[in-house]
Amino acid sequence: MEVKTSLLDNMIGVGDMVLLEPLSEDSFLENLRNRFDHSEIYTYIGSVVISVNPYRSLPIYTSDKVEEYRNRNFYELSPHIYALADEAYHSLRDQDKDQCILITGESGAGKTEASKLVMSYVAAVCGKGQEVNKVKEQLLQSNPVLEAFGNAKTVRNDNSSRFGKYMDIEFDFKGDPLGGVISNYLLEKSRVVKQPRGERNFHIFYQLLSGASDDTLKKLKLHRDFSKYNYLSLDSAVVNGLDDATNFRTVRNAMQIVGFMEDEVQSVLELVAAVLKLGNIEFKPESRCNGTDESRIKDKNDLKEMCELLGIEQSVLERAFSYRTVEAKMEKVSTTLNVAQAYYARDALAKNLYSRLFTWLVTRINESIKAQTKTRHKVMGVLDIYGFEIFEDNSFEQFIINYCNEKLQQIFIELTLREEQEEYVREGIEWTNIEYFNNAIICDLIENNQNGILAMLDEECLRPGTVTDETFLDKLNTVCAEHQHFESRLSKNSKFLNDHSLPHSCFRIQHYAGKVLYRVEGFVDKNNDLLYRDLSQAMFKANHSLIKQLFPEGNPAKVNLKRPPTAGFQFRASVGTLMKNLQTKNPNYIRCIKPNDKKAPHIFTESLVRHQVRYLGLMENVRVRRAGYAFRQAYEPCLERYKMLCKQTWPHWRGPAREGVEVLMANLQVPAEEFSYGRSKIFIRNPRTLFFLEERRRQCLQDLATLIQKIYRGWKCRSHFLLLKKSQIVVAAWYRRYAQQKKYQRIKSATTVVQSYTRGWQARKLLRELKYQKRCEEAATTIAAYWHGTQARRELRQLKEAARNKHAVSVIWAGWQGTKVRREYRKFFRANAGKKIYNFTIQRIMQKYFLGLKSSLPSMSPIDKTWPTRPYLFLDGVHTELRRIFHLWRCKKYRSQFTEEKKAVYEEKLEASEIFKDKKALYPSSVSQPFKGDYLEISKNPKYQKLNSTVDEKVLLADVVNKINRANGKGTARIFLLTKKSVVLADQKTGQVKASVPLPDLSSVSVSTQSDGFFALKLKEGSASAVKGDFLLSSEHLIEIITKLHRIGATDQEQLNIDISDEFLVQFKQDKVCVKFIQGAPKNGNSVSCKRKNNRLLEVSVPTTA
């Protein structure tokens, strides 16, 4: 279950200043200090975020924090800049409202870091994808580039933005970033030529000299030593915590990511080097014969190197520094420049060159990050601009900056009041007018087209005659003397005549943030911001492509005699455009505060913070928010938070949330004038009412916590007791068992001893009896043996006597018979002598033939086909028959040596011959290969132990086959197991059974006539195994697999059909696919390849064999 938190939970001080009670400037500051001391740097004023710079890293910007604030209500968690960024992003994405985030505060307050945090949060929560990530990276990487060229170290901030930046980030309808557009305002270009004590020039100069390689510096004609350049201040050249060399590499990488080409980067660096070279050009005075003063360049080496960098003729630029040409209608007047004017021209060129380079960088970045599609986009603007500035010496820059802040304060009050009024109307709450200070009168004093300060400054700059800062002040004293917010010693208003805090060369304006004293010295020159036309034309003549783009007015073909617009006019126009842009968007505010001037953590300077609270108008903001109702909350979270305060709503309220809140407020007896019911929210007028609810809730939660603790402790003690009781029973049972076992062991031991003694006595008694019986038997045997010997010798003598008598009779009878035969033979021989001789000869030949055959018989090997040649023609039939009989006898003798296993193997080989001989090209190569059966040693290999245990029957064949995929014809390795009852296919790596097919479900097996190893197991239609279709497999032992399948089918009295064809059909689920075998040229190492031709054809290419 998700734990819901609130802004009011675990709060240090007050998280929302609207709820501060009592409200005063001191209590406001004390609340900020309290939260700052506890590292709570963010505080709300309604929907406005106050950010106090901690000057240290805090662990509140991690990815976990991003996820914590993602898709959460604004007031649901403790104040954070992520809450405002999330609210703005979801209003843009879900409600289709364009947003703008206005970040204001003085230098060092953390405005730049706040803008980075907003952009990084939006980048983290929006969509993902290659193109989206590229856009996000480009938007984020534009910051380091602009910081390098637009930020500098000041006494107040080591990374102070010296320009105003407004970025419009464009999103599509899904909330994914498409691109962005950056606008810059009033770069402090005077910093290029002069920096106050303790401050630095722009970062890029120091980064280039510290981080560029020696080769790059040599090309740019620069040295690493900062002291060699007049435009670089030396007292603050090195800043603790800033690594210029590393930052230079970061800037180069960021420019590459944003989309700068390598030649563009080189051109930018050349212009930066040219600015440094410009500062080293010095002039000396010379007097002409006519008495006028002119200037000459002291050392032309820096001028030469600069001209080489920019591709300008040295003489052209040298003349531009010495002469000024004024054109009026058709006339040209050339005047010499004295040393002071030459230095002014040099500095003006340096400032314009750097300022225009910065503007070009912004334009170039916009080209890279702009949205490519031209459809309407959702827009989120982020404004990071200078805060209100009050220095000891305030000049034209501070006047312009404070004017911009007056406009921002004006739009802030207007939009805040408008937002309040719209919410009241939306919720049906009566709107009461709120009195507040409207600074429109101050804005009118500055920007009025007729008698505004800027208009009079432009008029003074454009009028003919002698124009000085004093004449401008005189004009102000004449026109603005009666204005209640303008003060001057020289004005007609007599009350300031004796005000010694107001010098004669100054005027004072009472801004909304306080009074500011402005010194008029430099107002006219800074507003004119003139660059001599000679210098513009010299720059245009450069061979450097970027220089020509930066100085288009130097083109002689486009000479414009019209005076360029003043700096004040340009800034007023850009501020007007910005205000119109902001008016069309829903505003979100971040007010940044600097806690101390030492840039150190844990230091809170009250006077400094009080000053910023005043000029930021934060107290005014709180009063506007509290003028109506101080707190408002939707009915659902309100009821969820306070439902435990009423018995009717606790623990669950079944009706609508508003009715539950009404029951709750009635039960708590809150006065009716302290709250109002809107359409979707409850509005609470006084913070005391809210704190009353919070106190009652805190007390109730303590009571609930006590009850939960009591129940938990009781449950824990009962559980512990039951565990002890159960343990005691177990221990007692084990002890009784142990005691009985010991008792049994003792009884068993005693019984064994008694039994052994008894058995020993019985055995010895039996032994004595057996020994006596044996002696008796041996005596009888000896007597019988002597008697039998006597009897045998007597019978032997009788038999010998009878034999001698019988032999004598036989000898006499044989002699008589021989005599008779010889008499008869002599009579008979004379009549049959020829036949007898023939038969005798034939018998001798046959006897010699058989004896010769006996000595020349071949070996007993059944495959030995040799046989002796026949000696006589008439023995041809006998010779052939004897050869056949001998071979049969030899095979019988060979078979009689076989074991049952070897006999089965040869029977399989015989059956394979009957199936495949002369039918499949693969068969001859399989004859010499023995049928092993278990190629995987599945019973011995521990890898297949689990698989072996799942198979109940004996495994007849185990091998790795390839299961052919119908989609692409590629094979997947599978383990093939064959038993007497089924075929099993399993995963080779895991051993998991993928398919098990009973052998009765097999209808036939199809193979080709080629030398491939493909075979298809076809299943009977309607069988349980046929759901997924037939199997198309490939194996190196195809002959053995098919033979074993055929033998098992023969024993089951259901013959398995073997189909040998180069084209057959295979059923894959619902479709039948034709598998076609063709002969092709050898590819991929003479291997068989299978390719899918279409949804109904798989083509197997078999290499042709020589």
Side-chain angles (χ1 to χ4, degrees):
M1 179 179 178
E2 182 183 4
V3 179
K4 294 186 178 180
T5 59
S6 171
L7 172 70
L8 300 171
D9 287 329
N10 303 320
M11 189 166 56
I12 297 171
V14 178
D16 191 343
M17 289 294 188
V18 176
L19 305 177
L20 188 62
E21 188 69 23
L23 177 62
S24 65
E25 191 175 81
D26 292 335
S27 63
F28 190 99
L29 292 172
E30 183 58 32
N31 188 53
L32 278 182
R33 176 196 289 275
N34 185 20
R35 292 178 62 79
F36 177 77
D37 291 342
H38 290 84
S39 298
E40 292 288 340
I41 64 172
Y42 295 113
T43 309
Y44 292 155
I45 302 178
S47 60
V48 178
V49 175
I50 302 174
S51 172
V52 183
N53 193 343
Y55 287 116
R56 60 192 175 101
S57 297
L58 295 176
I60 58 175
Y61 306 111
T62 61
S63 57
D64 293 336
K65 274 289 180 183
V66 172
E67 291 301 320
E68 182 180 347
Y69 280 86
R70 187 173 187 173
N71 297 327
R72 303 296 285 267
N73 184 274
F74 185 76
Y75 296 103
E76 190 172 345
L77 299 173
S78 59
H80 202 290
I81 195 172
Y82 284 170
L84 181 137
D86 189 75
E87 182 78 9
Y89 175 71
H90 285 287
S91 296
L92 175 135
R93 188 189 67 181
D94 302 334
Q95 301 175 20
D96 201 19
K97 292 181 180 178
D98 287 350
Q99 302 291 315
C100 63
I101 298 176
L102 308 181
I103 306 171
T104 56
E106 73 171 55
S107 178
K111 302 187 298 299
T112 302
E113 287 302 316
S115 66
K116 289 181 186 176
L117 290 171
V118 170
M119 292 178 65
S120 63
Y121 179 84
V122 173
V125 300
C126 63
K128 303 292 186 290
Q130 184 175 356
E131 192 62 31
V132 173
N133 289 340
K134 179 183 176 182
V135 173
K136 290 193 293 186
E137 188 67 17
Q138 286 185 334
L139 290 173
L140 293 175
Q141 290 300 324
S142 65
N143 281 325
V145 180
L146 295 179
E147 284 184 18
F149 287 87
N151 289 25
K153 189 263 182 195
T154 66
V155 291
R156 297 186 174 187
N157 186 3
D158 290 343
N159 188 32
S160 176
S161 297
R162 307 317 299 160
F163 70 103
K165 182 179 74 172
Y166 177 74
M167 173 183 280
D168 268 335
I169 307 173
E170 300 176 337
F171 297 83
D172 63 7
F173 70 95
K174 298 178 293 183
D176 295 339
L178 297 174
V181 178
I182 299 173
S183 302
N184 64 301
Y185 301 95
L186 196 64
L187 177 73
E188 188 190 13
K189 56 186 177 182
S190 61
R191 181 172 292 272
V192 175
V193 298
K194 184 179 179 182
Q195 305 92 40
R197 176 172 292 276
E199 298 189 1
R200 293 204 316 178
N201 210 324
F202 291 103
H203 290 325
I204 188 61
F205 296 112
Y206 305 93
Q207 291 174 358
L208 174 61
L209 297 180
S210 301
S213 64
D214 293 336
D215 185 50
T216 301
L217 291 179
K218 186 176 180 181
K219 289 180 181 178
L220 298 177
K221 307 181 187 304
L222 296 176
H223 305 279
R224 292 199 187 276
D225 188 1
F226 298 154
S227 63
K228 291 184 179 294
Y229 304 100
N230 297 333
Y231 279 166
L232 301 184
S233 60
L234 301 180
D235 55 343
S236 300
V238 179
V239 181
N240 293 332
L242 279 183
D243 187 347
D244 291 320
T246 302
N247 290 340
F248 180 73
R249 291 189 287 271
T250 302
V251 171
R252 289 292 300 266
N253 183 55
M255 294 179 77
Q256 184 178 1
I257 293 174
V258 170
F260 283 83
M261 306 300 291
E262 191 61 35
D263 58 336
E264 292 177 326
V265 176
Q266 185 63 28
S267 297
V268 170
L269 295 181
E270 288 172 354
L271 263 63
V272 173
V275 172
L276 289 176
K277 292 290 182 183
L278 260 177
N280 288 352
I281 298 176
E282 296 182 346
F283 302 93
K284 60 183 179 180
E286 280 191 6
S287 297
R288 301 181 70 180
C289 58
N290 59 3
T292 59
D293 290 334
E294 64 179 18
S295 62
R296 287 286 182 266
I297 297 175
K298 288 183 181 180
D299 185 0
K300 298 183 180 181
N301 183 54
D302 287 302
L303 177 66
K304 177 185 176 184
E305 292 180 348
M306 174 190 167
C307 292
E308 289 175 355
L309 279 173
L310 302 182
I312 304 175
E313 290 186 19
Q314 183 175 339
S315 59
V316 173
L317 190 56
E318 186 176 353
R319 175 175 175 78
F321 280 136
S322 301
Y323 296 90
R324 178 187 178 189
T325 302
V326 179
E327 297 183 21
K329 296 183 179 179
M330 301 302 292
E331 296 181 7
K332 288 186 179 181
V333 179
S334 181
T335 60
T336 61
L337 300 179
N338 58 30
V339 172
Q341 292 171 331
Y343 276 116
Y344 174 83
R346 180 200 69 175
D347 292 344
L349 177 60
K351 291 187 290 185
N352 273 273
L353 182 58
Y354 192 83
S355 175
R356 298 182 187 202
L357 172 62
F358 186 79
T359 304
W360 179 86
L361 280 172
V362 174
T363 305
R364 180 63 183 81
I365 291 173
N366 286 337
E367 290 177 2
S368 296
I369 66 176
K370 68 180 179 181
Q372 301 301 319
T373 58
K374 295 185 179 180
T375 57
R376 182 188 175 276
H377 307 135
K378 302 177 182 180
V379 177
M380 176 185 290
V382 180
L383 177 64
D384 174 9
I385 202 164
Y386 348 77
F388 205 89
E389 291 188 349
I390 305 176
F391 300 145
E392 291 182 4
D393 187 8
N394 301 291
S395 186
F396 179 76
E397 290 85 3
Q398 283 68 46
F399 177 75
I400 290 294
I401 290 170
N402 293 342
Y403 160 64
C404 180
N405 277 273
E406 286 284 357
K407 295 293 290 183
L408 289 174
Q409 176 68 8
Q410 184 182 24
I411 195 173
F412 168 68
I413 294 296
E414 290 178 2
L415 293 178
T416 301
L417 287 174
R418 187 177 70 187
E419 183 182 356
E420 284 282 296
Q421 186 174 7
E422 287 178 353
E423 184 172 20
Y424 278 43
V425 172
R426 189 167 58 248
E427 293 293 329
I429 303 296
E430 183 179 355
W431 169 256
T432 56
N433 288 323
I434 299 171
E435 293 185 3
Y436 64 95
F437 171 68
N438 190 344
N439 67 336
I441 187 172
I442 303 175
C443 295
D444 185 68
L445 170 65
I446 299 172
E447 68 181 1
N448 188 283
N449 290 328
Q450 300 299 325
N451 53 7
I453 295 176
L454 287 175
M456 286 186 287
L457 180 59
D458 286 349
E459 182 180 333
E460 192 68 12
C461 291
L462 297 175
R463 75 174 178 81
T466 302
V467 177
T468 64
D469 296 318
E470 287 74 18
T471 60
F472 165 62
L473 182 57
D474 291 339
K475 190 159 191 164
L476 289 182
N477 292 331
T478 302
V479 177
C480 304
E482 301 300 327
H483 199 286
Q484 57 182 333
H485 291 276
F486 179 83
E487 303 173 3
S488 173
R489 291 266 314 258
L490 301 177
S491 68
K492 298 177 182 179
N493 196 335
S494 60
K495 67 178 180 179
F496 300 115
L497 292 177
N498 297 321
D499 187 354
H500 296 288
S501 65
L502 185 57
H504 290 281
S505 61
C506 299
F507 66 92
R508 189 159 54 203
I509 294 179
Q510 185 175 350
H511 291 280
Y512 79 93
K515 293 183 178 181
V516 182
L517 184 68
Y518 297 104
R519 189 177 300 276
V520 295
E521 182 183 350
F523 261 63
V524 173
D525 284 341
K526 292 177 180 177
N527 189 51
N528 271 325
D529 193 23
L530 286 178
L531 178 66
Y532 297 150
R533 185 174 287 111
D534 301 76
L535 289 172
S536 298
Q537 292 175 351
M539 290 294 104
F540 187 80
K541 291 177 182 178
N543 292 328
H544 200 280
S545 58
L546 186 52
I547 288 289
K548 284 184 177 292
Q549 297 179 41
L550 300 184
F551 293 90
E553 74 276 12
N555 189 351
K558 299 180 181 179
V559 174
N560 185 4
L561 300 180
K562 187 177 180 181
R563 189 183 182 94
T566 62
F569 178 83
Q570 294 179 42
F571 188 73
R572 184 175 59 176
S574 61
V575 169
T577 304
L578 176 63
M579 295 303 120
K580 290 180 182 178
N581 193 356
L582 296 180
Q583 288 279 7
T584 63
K585 295 179 172 60
N586 185 47
N588 303 272
Y589 298 95
I590 301 173
R591 302 297 203 184
C592 298
I593 292 178
K594 182 170 66 171
N596 60 78
D597 279 327
K598 298 178 181 179
K599 297 180 279 190
H602 307 296
I603 298 177
F604 189 90
T605 307
E606 184 174 330
S607 59
L608 178 64
V609 177
R610 186 186 299 272
H611 173 70
Q612 295 174 79
V613 168
R614 286 176 180 174
Y615 79 63
L616 285 173
L618 298 183
M619 292 297 295
E620 185 84 7
N621 189 8
V622 177
R623 293 189 183 100
V624 168
R625 288 286 299 190
R626 289 182 57 162
Y629 292 89
F631 183 77
R632 66 229 43 198
Q633 192 174 28
Y635 290 121
E636 288 80 3
C638 180
L639 180 62
E640 185 69 23
R641 185 169 184 82
Y642 301 112
K643 63 182 180 180
M644 72 286 297
L645 303 182
C646 176
K647 292 183 179 180
Q648 290 93 320
T649 58
W650 178 260
H652 300 292
W653 173 257
R654 302 298 181 185
R658 173 169 178 166
E659 295 179 6
V661 173
E662 292 175 353
V663 170
L664 178 65
M665 300 302 281
N667 185 268
L668 294 174
Q669 298 180 353
V670 179
E673 63 272 10
E674 288 295 321
F675 64 90
S676 291
Y677 295 113
R679 292 188 176 92
S680 62
K681 297 179 181 178
I682 180 172
F683 289 73
I684 298 176
R685 186 179 301 278
N686 199 307
R688 287 193 297 270
T689 304
L690 179 65
F691 294 142
F692 164 74
L693 294 175
E694 284 296 311
E695 180 62 23
R696 289 288 304 273
R697 179 177 182 270
R698 186 184 62 80
Q699 295 175 357
C700 188
L701 287 177
Q702 288 180 350
D703 296 339
L704 288 173
T706 303
L707 178 62
I708 293 171
Q709 286 177 345
K710 182 183 73 173
I711 294 173
Y712 171 74
R713 286 169 182 158
W715 169 83
K716 186 176 181 181
C717 290
R718 283 193 301 275
S719 301
H720 184 63
F721 167 74
L722 292 174
L723 183 62
L724 289 176
K725 182 179 178 181
K726 183 179 179 181
S727 301
Q728 188 272 334
I729 293 172
V730 172
V731 171
W734 277 90
Y735 176 75
R736 285 193 294 269
R737 175 187 173 187
Y738 171 76
Q740 291 298 324
Q741 283 179 340
K742 296 296 288 183
K743 182 179 179 182
Y744 168 75
Q745 292 293 341
R746 288 196 299 271
I747 295 173
K748 182 179 179 182
S749 178
T751 304
T752 302
V753 171
V754 173
Q755 287 179 344
S756 64
Y757 276 100
T758 304
R759 290 192 185 103
W761 176 77
Q762 290 178 345
R764 286 189 293 275
K765 181 180 178 181
L766 179 61
L767 180 60
R768 287 193 297 270
E769 292 176 353
L770 289 175
K771 285 182 177 180
Y772 176 74
Q773 184 179 356
K774 182 178 180 182
R775 284 195 296 272
C776 293
E777 289 178 353
E778 285 178 352
T781 300
T782 302
I783 296 170
Y786 276 100
W787 168 250
H788 290 151
T790 304
Q791 289 290 101
R793 284 191 292 274
R794 185 183 299 163
E795 289 181 1
L796 179 61
R797 285 193 296 272
Q798 292 175 358
L799 288 174
K800 285 183 177 180
E801 184 67 27
R804 282 195 295 270
N805 295 333
K806 186 177 180 179
H807 181 67
V809 174
S810 298
V811 171
I812 296 171
W813 173 252
W816 166 245
Q817 287 293 332
T819 303
K820 286 181 66 177
V821 168
R822 285 192 293 273
R823 287 177 183 172
E824 289 293 327
Y825 178 75
R826 282 194 293 268
K827 294 178 181 179
F828 185 75
F829 181 77
R830 293 184 182 89
N832 298 298
K835 187 176 180 180
K836 291 285 186 180
I837 292 170
Y838 173 77
N839 290 336
F840 177 76
T841 304
I842 292 300
Q843 286 178 359
R844 284 297 298 159
I845 290 173
M846 291 295 291
Q847 184 180 15
K848 183 178 179 182
Y849 167 70
F850 282 120
L851 291 175
L853 188 62
K854 177 183 177 182
S855 60
S856 60
L857 284 175
S859 66
M860 295 298 289
S861 174
I863 61 174
D864 187 359
K865 297 184 179 181
T866 61
W867 185 252
T869 56
R870 68 176 186 280
Y872 303 102
L873 185 62
F874 74 91
L875 294 176
D876 185 43
V878 175
H879 193 72
T880 303
E881 184 65 17
L882 285 175
R883 181 177 183 179
R884 184 183 68 81
I885 294 171
F886 177 77
H887 180 69
L888 293 175
W889 173 77
R890 182 169 58 181
C891 290
K892 181 179 179 182
K893 295 288 285 183
Y894 186 79
R895 286 195 301 273
S896 64
Q897 301 173 5
F898 290 171
T899 62
E900 291 298 325
E901 294 179 356
K902 198 168 183 180
K903 188 175 181 181
V905 170
Y906 277 95
E907 288 176 354
E908 287 181 351
K909 283 287 186 178
L910 181 61
E911 190 161 347
S913 174
E914 294 173 355
I915 296 172
F916 296 108
K917 188 175 182 181
D918 298 331
K919 297 178 183 178
K920 185 164 180 64
L922 184 66
Y923 171 72
S925 61
S926 70
V927 173
S928 60
Q929 299 175 357
F931 289 173
K932 290 177 60 175
D934 188 1
Y935 290 93
L936 304 180
E937 297 183 347
I938 194 168
S939 59
K940 299 178 182 179
N941 196 333
K943 180 179 177 181
Y944 305 115
Q945 184 176 2
K946 181 178 178 181
L947 177 61
N948 189 33
S949 62
T950 58
V951 181
D952 297 334
E953 303 89 10
K954 180 183 178 182
V955 176
L956 301 178
L957 186 142
D959 192 13
V960 175
V961 301
N962 284 323
K963 181 178 178 295
I964 306 303
N965 189 348
R966 169 198 176 179
N968 52 22
K970 295 183 179 180
T972 304
R974 291 283 187 266
I975 296 175
F976 183 90
L977 302 180
L978 176 63
T979 66
K980 290 186 177 181
K981 295 183 179 180
S982 63
V983 173
V984 178
L985 289 174
D987 189 89
Q988 186 183 13
K989 295 181 179 179
T990 62
Q992 181 182 359
V993 175
K994 294 293 185 180
S996 179
V997 180
L999 290 181
D1001 289 354
L1002 285 178
S1003 63
S1004 63
V1005 180
S1006 296
V1007 297
S1008 72
T1009 62
Q1010 310 291 334
S1011 59
D1012 61 278
F1014 282 73
F1015 66 97
L1017 299 179
K1018 297 187 178 180
L1019 306 178
K1020 294 180 180 178
E1021 295 184 1
S1023 63
S1025 304
V1027 176
K1028 294 185 178 180
D1030 301 337
F1031 295 94
L1032 182 59
L1033 308 173
S1034 173
S1035 172
E1036 296 179 355
H1037 305 98
L1038 177 140
I1039 302 297
E1040 183 177 357
I1041 291 174
I1042 303 303
T1043 303
K1044 288 184 182 291
L1045 279 172
H1046 188 266
R1047 283 178 62 82
I1048 295 171
T1051 57
D1052 291 343
Q1053 298 179 355
E1054 187 173 348
Q1055 192 70 37
L1056 183 67
N1057 294 327
I1058 308 298
D1059 178 22
I1060 303 177
S1061 173
D1062 283 344
E1063 189 172 331
F1064 52 79
L1065 294 177
V1066 179
Q1067 182 79 29
F1068 284 120
K1069 291 187 178 179
Q1070 303 301 325
D1071 302 326
K1072 287 189 177 181
V1073 177
C1074 178
V1075 182
K1076 186 176 181 180
F1077 294 82
I1078 61 171
Q1079 287 189 348
K1083 294 180 180 179
N1084 300 326
N1086 295 335
S1087 61
V1088 179
S1089 62
C1090 179
K1091 292 184 180 178
R1092 173 189 174 189
K1093 290 298 183 179
N1094 52 52
N1095 289 338
R1096 301 290 182 174
L1097 178 62
L1098 282 175
E1099 188 174 270
V1100 181
S1101 178
V1102 184
T1104 56
T1105 56

